[in-house]
Amino acid sequence: MAMNPFKPTAGKMPPILIGRESAIEEFTEGLDNGAGAPGRLMLVTGQRGFGKTVLLTEFRRIASERKWQVISETASPGVAQRLVDALTPNGPHIDQASVSPSIGIPGIASASLGHINLSSNTVPLTLRNAISKRLESSKIGKGKGVLITIDEAQAASLNDLVAIATAVQHVITSIDETDVPDTEKKGVAIVFAGLPSVVNDLVNDNVTTFLRRALRCELDNVPLLDVKNAFLESVADSGKTMSGDDAWVAAQATDGYPYMVQLVGYYMWQSAQRRHSDAITKDDVVSGIADAQIAFDDAVCAPALDGLRSAEIEFLHALTTDYPSATAVGDIASRTGRSRSWVNKYRAALIKDKIIRPAGHGLVAFAVPHLGDYLKRTV
């Protein structure tokens, strides 16, 4: 039985990582070029549905293929402690510890940045020492190391992320100070992935200034011609066919949004499969786009608006009049009856969070595909 090649489920590897070749190349070169290579310290940013989790999955596959040890975490409170547990699975149990900078804990003298104290009388175990201890293991060969990926960085406390980044900085510095040739040094690579605003907060923290030297990977829309070619290639590899014209219609409906690419591909392929046909027709494409839109609204548009202030929703609603065209900033002020300073304040906030984007001199537009349509239907 033929299997649908498109994988719209979060974190599932799509058949083709279209538009992400340069990021994959930078990461691969970072592992291959030895200690100090820029690709070993990366910050991946992008809105929901831009493929951050999929890219981390590919990074881990590449690292494992090169005999690196891999530790994967999705950020949430306590992520720094869980990393210590993962790095020292047979080590002492950690309980009631803190990784917050300069915060005292009952029964423990203090907790310093990147440092976890045990509640027992054992020697304090730090994240820095846990990483260093793992690198000393004979299971890690010369020139290899440990890759740590932190997904959904926005769900972790800034203190946790600062602690992790600081510990990694110390380990990298210690590695650089050894006399071992770069090609033989065991190393550590770390990739943070999250929404743009949270990663920006991490980079701008005064304690983790070294992250400003990290390689930034800002995921954006995929060129439509690449999407069309990916549709044709993936469909052909699955044993079905579709015309170039139909593939172009499907590509245009995605706006180059990676998650929408997977949704449209999945539903148009499934439409043909339900007919027991090896050919994806125009009707399958139309049906697939409609089904994909419903799924996209639930998975991307609704969450994109969660947490926004009422003023930001009001700002966005003023854009729907011109959608899908761009809107003049001056028109937003007149439609909302707000001052220009009010418009500028929320324009900056929404651009920072990648909800809208500059679209020319004095113009803004939605950065999340189909969000304008969604607002028209729901507000």
Side-chain angles (χ1 to χ4, degrees), residues 116-158:
I116 296 179
N117 282 345
L118 302 179
S119 58
S120 65
N121 293 323
T122 59
V123 178
L125 176 64
T126 65
L127 181 56
R128 172 184 173 183
N129 289 343
I131 297 172
S132 299
K133 192 72 174 177
R134 176 62 75 91
L135 291 176
E136 293 171 5
S137 168
S138 59
K139 294 181 180 179
I140 298 180
K142 293 180 179 180
K144 310 300 181 183
V146 176
L147 166 66
I148 299 172
T149 63
I150 309 291
D151 199 6
E152 301 291 348
Q154 68 275 359
S157 71
L158 186 59

Side-chain angles (χ1 to χ4, degrees), residues 327-349:
T327 298
V329 173
D331 290 341
I332 297 171
S334 62
R335 290 170 189 171
T336 59
R338 302 285 190 167
S339 67
R340 193 60 178 261
S341 62
W342 182 95
V343 171
N344 288 339
K345 174 184 176 180
Y346 291 108
R347 172 183 177 274

Side-chain angles (χ1 to χ4, degrees), residues 5-25:
F6 298 97
K7 310 296 180 184
T9 302
K12 286 290 187 180
M13 187 64 63
I16 302 174
L17 281 158
I18 51 173
R20 306 301 181 236
E21 294 84 358
S22 61
I24 293 170
E25 187 176 69

